[in-house]
Structures are given as structure tokens and as C-alpha cells.
């Protein structure tokens, strides 16, 4: 391999390591998208976008976003915005290279499990005259929106482009509202009947219900979790401790899966008070999230409800806070075994001479797309490979150091040879 090729590969690896995105910071540079940016933060979609790679955000200017939001509840606005996050990378050049001129692309809404059929897809069509249309994927839907301009691209991580009007999917307007949800019924239907029963018998269900309007996230152990080996006997808990345990399974804020994936700090629960922390931390592997208590951990298994400002997730195990279970008494020591009296000592045996045999010897040791469609207004994008957050900078710096350390001697060898 030639020195030039090696340098090119190294630079490509460095670019990949550095590439990261923060949608809030990207849109902060463009005041015409301030309302769109605000709703991404309010619905916590910004966290979900920042936790993913290879996507396209279809941004709406303030006028179009105002028309989309209207007086709808935040849960509906979130679902509609999810249609505007495409899980594929489209820059201006790729929009004119769509096979057969049209494609149905998956959006973030399709991943929620609330999208029957192809509701969670968006139709992207390369129209005649250099225009690109966007619309709902349902048969007969009109392409009511069109490409306006490029806003920001970080190949091939995230592309932000502006479209002229919202993509309207009528079915989304009927999404369930969190404040109207029957918590007990949802938990029982999700296979969490034991947990729901404890909430009702202890009275904690009233605390949950009163917190929904301001934001609430519930982590409900499924029925199998209460039958698992090693589960403490909850009947031996005092009423106060049982209430604390149940409150520990809820967070007093709307914390969807995207926010859990990007969380770095301890998360307070309804049980948190001045005397006890009762906090959770998260561990992420790809799209999987694990809750860590300090005593045990539990995987977030499924989404029961995600309707801003209320979310319910099932978990595989009961969450055991260290405040209640971290200092459990050790098992009582086993009694000393009874031993027989020692026999009288025998006469010492003669010592054998060492064997004359020697001891055994030891074992051997693509071209980056740029610009906008020819007939569209001039793109105002800026390719960037710099990170947009402190976390990204830390990761990039670490990987950068490793790459430079490993590649520098090799590059030097080829350059000097």
C-alpha cells in the first residue's frame, strides 16, 4: 500500500471518529427554525435524533411549524414530527438519484410500534423540472411538500434539509393522549398485573396519576419478574418501604427511550428525597437500555405507552434500590463442624531420596455529496466533521489519539522509504 493511500485511509478514519451531531446546536444557528427546534426539545425528539446515525431531518420554518402545531397536544405534535425524521441519509445530490425516481423511506414514527401498515413511511419522489416532492406513504396521498434547500450536512451521519410544508398523516391526529390513559388498565394489558395490584393496594397509583400531567415515566416489572429466583420477599417490607420501592419505579419527568440512551447523570425517581437519593443510572448497548440501581440491573424490555408527557416501559426485573436492599444482612454463619479427636502421632516415615530423573522442561512459550438540486434555490449547507457536544469531543479525542499513535509510525515508514 502506498503512502498516499495510507494517509487517505487514516484521514478517513479520523473523520469518522470525529463526526457527531447535536440537532439542537445545529438548528440554533438558524433562527428561522427556532420553533421547530423548540418542539424537538419539548418532545425529547432531540435526544432520539442525537442517539442515532444515518438520518435526515426534514426541517420546517417557523411559519410551517406553527401551522403544524396549532393547538394540538404535545403527544400528537411529537408523532407528527417523527414523520419528519427519515432513517436514511438524503442530501441534495441523493434526492436526484433515487432509483426509479421514487422511494418509501422509514421514519422515526415507524419505530414506535404505533404505526399500522405503512403509516410510518414517507414518500420521496423526484419530480420533473428539478423538484423533489414529499408526502404520506398511504396510497392516494398527495405530495403536498417539496424540497426547499439544504441546511446542514455531516456526511453520512445527518442531513438537515428544509421542506416547504408539513407532511400530513391524518391517522396520527388520533394518537392516544397520556393524560387520558388508564394507568392500571395499560399495565395489566402489558403483563404487569402484579405490579398494578401493588400500586392500587398501596395507594401509590394516586401519586402516579397526579404526576402524569407534569411528566411521568414508569418502569413496570412484568409478572415473571416477581417470580424470579432471588427476589426479596416483599411481604416482609414495612408499608413505608413498600411505598418507597414502588415510587422508585417512576421518574417525575417525561423520559422516553431516546433520553434514556443519552443520559449520563443519575436519574431521580419519585422516591428521591432529601434523606435518600433513590436514583437510577443507565447503560446503553446499541438500541438496548439497561437501568442500574446499584444492587441489580434490568433491561428496558418494551414500550407500553409513549405519549408526551407520559411514558410507560416494561422491565425484566424488579428495581431494587440500594437504600432498601444494599445493606441486607449476611446469612447466619453455619455451625462449626464436629471433629473427632486427633489420633496419636505416628512415627515419622523415612524421607525418600529425590528421583534421578530431570524435571520436565517448561513449555515453549465516496465522494462527498455537495450542493443542491439544479433547479432548487442555492443550498446553504456546510459540511462539518467537528463534534457538537462535549461527549462527542471526548470520544473523538480518545479515538483520535489511538489512531494517531498507531498510524504515525506506519506513515513515517512509507514516507521515508
Amino acid at each position: 500500500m502506498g503512502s498516499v493511500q495510507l494517509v487517505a485511509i487514516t484521514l478517513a478514519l479520523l473523520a469518522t471518529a470525529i463526526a457527531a451531531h447535536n440537532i439542537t446546536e445545529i438548528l440554533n444557528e438558524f433562527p428561522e427554525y427556532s420553533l421547530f427546534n423548540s418542539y424537538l426539545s419539548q418532545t425529547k425528539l432531540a435526544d432520539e435524533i442525537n442517539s442515532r446515525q444515518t438520518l435526515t431531518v426534514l426541517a420546517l420554518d417557523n411559519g410551517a411549524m406553527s401551522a403544524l402545531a396549532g393547538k394540538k397536544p404535545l403527544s400528537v405534535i411529537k408523532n407528527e414530527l417523527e414523520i419528519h425524521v427519515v432513517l436514511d441519509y438524503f442530501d441534495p445530490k441523493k434526492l436526484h438519484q433515487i432509483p426509479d425516481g421514487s422511494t418509501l423511506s422509514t421514519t422515526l414514527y415507524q419505530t414506535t410500534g404505533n404505526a399500522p401498515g405503512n403509516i410510518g413511511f414517507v414518500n420521496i419522489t423526484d419530480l420533473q423540472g428539478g423538484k423533489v416532492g414529499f408526502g404520506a406513504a398511504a396510497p392516494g396521498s398527495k405530495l403536498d411538500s417539496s424540497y426547499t434547500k439544504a441546511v446542514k450536512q455531516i456526511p453520512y451521519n445527518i442531513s438537515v434539509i428544509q421542506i416547504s410544508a408539513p407532511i400530513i398523516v391524518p391517522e396520527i391526529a388520533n394518537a392516544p393522549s397520556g393524560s387520558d390513559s388508564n394507568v392500571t388498565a395499560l399495565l395489566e394489558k402489558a403483563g404487569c398485573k402484579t405490579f398494578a395490584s401493588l400500586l392500587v393496594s398501596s395507594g401509590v397509583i394516586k401519586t402516579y396519576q397526579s404526576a402524569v400531567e407534569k411528566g411521568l415515566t414508569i418502569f413496570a416489572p412484568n409478572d415473571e419478574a416477581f417470580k424470579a429466583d432471588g427476589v426479596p420477599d416483599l411481604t416482609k417490607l414495612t408499608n413505608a418501604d413498600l411505598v418507597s420501592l414502588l415510587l422508585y419505579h417512576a421518574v417525575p419527568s417525561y423520559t422516553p427511550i431516546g433520553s434514556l440512551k443519552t443520559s449520563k447523570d443519575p436519574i431521580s425517581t419519585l422516591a428521591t428525597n432529601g434523606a435518600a437519593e433513590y436514583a437510577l443510572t443507565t447503560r446503553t448497548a446499541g438500541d438496548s437500555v439497561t437501568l442500574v440501581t446499584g444492587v441489580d440491573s434490568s433491561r428496558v424490555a418494551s414500550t407500553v405507552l409513549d405519549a408526551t408527557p407520559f411514558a410507560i416501559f416494561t422491565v425484566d426485573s424488579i428495581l431494587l434500590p440500594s437504600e432498601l436492599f444494599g445493606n441486607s444482612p449476611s446469612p447466619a454463619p453455619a455451625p462449626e463442624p464436629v471433629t473427632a479427636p486427633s489420633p496419636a502421632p505416628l512415627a515419622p516415615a523415612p524421607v525418600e531420596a529425590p528421583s534421578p530423573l530431570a524435571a520436565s522442561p517448561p513449555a515453549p512459550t465516496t465522494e462527498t455529496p455537495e450542493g443542491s438540486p439544479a433547479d432548487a434555490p442555492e443550498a446553504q449547507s456546510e459540511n462539518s466533521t467537528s463534534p457538537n457536544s462535549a461527549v462527542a469531543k471526548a470520544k473523538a479525542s480518545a479515538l483520535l489519539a489511538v489512531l494517531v499513535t498507531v498510524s504515525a509510525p506506519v506513515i513515517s515508514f512509507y514516507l521515508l522509504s
Side-chain angles (χ1 to χ4, degrees):
M1 181 184 296
S3 58
V4 175
Q5 290 176 303
L6 189 58
V7 171
I9 291 174
T10 302
L11 293 177
L13 290 172
L14 293 177
T16 301
I18 295 172
H21 63 264
N22 183 310
I23 188 62
T24 304
E25 293 184 4
I26 289 174
L27 293 176
N28 277 343
E29 301 176 13
F30 304 93
E32 62 267 37
Y33 310 118
S34 60
L35 190 58
F36 181 77
N37 197 14
S38 174
Y39 276 114
L40 290 182
S41 296
Q42 291 181 57
T43 60
K44 303 296 182 74
L45 276 179
D47 291 335
E48 184 68 33
I49 291 171
N50 293 340
S51 72
R52 291 178 175 268
Q53 294 182 348
T54 313
L55 45 76
T56 301
V57 177
L58 308 178
L60 301 170
D61 64 19
N62 293 335
M65 185 65 233
S66 179
L68 176 66
K71 296 182 179 180
K72 300 170 185 173
L74 205 56
S75 58
V76 174
I77 295 173
K78 177 180 181 178
N79 292 337
E80 292 184 321
L81 287 178
E82 286 172 331
I83 290 289
H84 293 74
V85 181
V86 180
L87 303 185
D88 196 359
Y89 182 86
F90 287 94
D91 58 12
K93 184 175 180 179
K94 185 176 178 179
L95 289 174
H96 277 298
Q97 296 177 342
I98 297 173
D100 301 322
S102 183
T103 184
L104 295 182
S105 291
T106 308
T107 70
L108 204 53
Y109 185 64
Q110 186 68 25
T111 68
T112 63
N114 298 323
N118 61 357
I119 295 296
F121 289 79
V122 64
N123 181 355
I124 306 176
T125 299
D126 186 5
L127 303 172
Q128 294 180 353
K131 294 183 179 180
V132 178
F134 296 82
S141 299
K142 296 181 180 180
L143 299 175
D144 290 331
S145 184
S146 60
Y147 169 86
T148 300
K149 66 180 180 181
V151 178
K152 184 90 167 184
Q153 280 75 49
I154 305 178
Y156 293 88
N157 191 345
I158 184 172
S159 175
V160 182
I161 61 177
Q162 181 185 339
I163 58 176
S164 61
I167 299 171
I168 302 299
V169 180
E171 293 84 354
I172 289 181
N174 300 321
S177 170
S179 59
D180 298 332
S181 301
N182 184 320
V183 177
T184 306
L186 287 171
L187 291 174
E188 291 178 347
K189 185 177 180 180
C192 304
K193 292 182 180 180
T194 304
F195 183 66
S197 176
L198 288 172
L199 291 177
V200 173
S201 62
S202 65
V204 172
I205 188 64
K206 296 179 180 179
T207 304
Y208 278 20
Q209 291 169 333
S210 64
V212 168
E213 188 174 345
K214 293 183 179 180
L216 181 70
T217 303
I218 299 174
F219 302 110
N222 56 41
D223 290 337
E224 294 303 315
F226 290 89
K227 304 174 184 176
D229 293 337
V231 173
D233 185 354
L234 301 186
T235 62
K236 295 183 179 180
L237 294 177
T238 65
N239 288 337
D241 286 347
L242 178 60
V243 167
S244 295
L245 175 64
L246 296 174
L247 292 176
Y248 185 63
H249 285 74
V251 173
S253 64
Y254 173 60
T255 312
I257 200 70
S259 300
L260 292 173
K261 287 194 290 185
T262 58
S263 176
K264 304 299 178 185
D265 299 321
I267 301 172
S268 298
T269 66
L270 285 178
T272 301
N273 56 55
E277 186 175 6
Y278 281 100
L280 295 165
T281 58
T282 61
R283 187 170 63 237
T284 303
D287 285 336
S288 177
V289 176
T290 299
L291 302 176
V292 181
T293 70
V295 175
D296 64 353
S297 61
S298 180
R299 181 180 66 96
V300 177
S302 65
T303 301
V304 178
L305 177 73
D306 185 349
T308 312
F310 183 30
I312 301 177
F313 301 102
T314 63
V315 291
D316 290 335
S317 306
I318 300 174
L319 303 177
L320 304 177
S322 58
E323 288 79 1
L324 295 179
F325 301 98
N327 298 315
S328 300
S330 302
E336 291 289 337
V338 178
T339 57
S342 300
L346 301 176
V351 179
E352 293 185 7
S355 171
L357 297 178
S360 300
T365 55
T366 55
E367 180 185 3
T368 302
E370 296 180 355
S372 59
D375 293 53
E378 181 179 355
Q380 298 181 9
S381 61
E382 176 185 351
N383 291 345
S384 171
T385 54
S386 60
N388 293 291
S389 67
V391 175
K393 289 179 181 178
K395 292 181 179 178
S397 299
L399 186 52
L400 176 62
V402 173
L403 288 172
V404 170
T405 302
V406 173
S407 60
V410 180
I411 295 175
S412 299
F413 173 79
Y414 277 101
L415 293 176
L416 297 175
S417 62

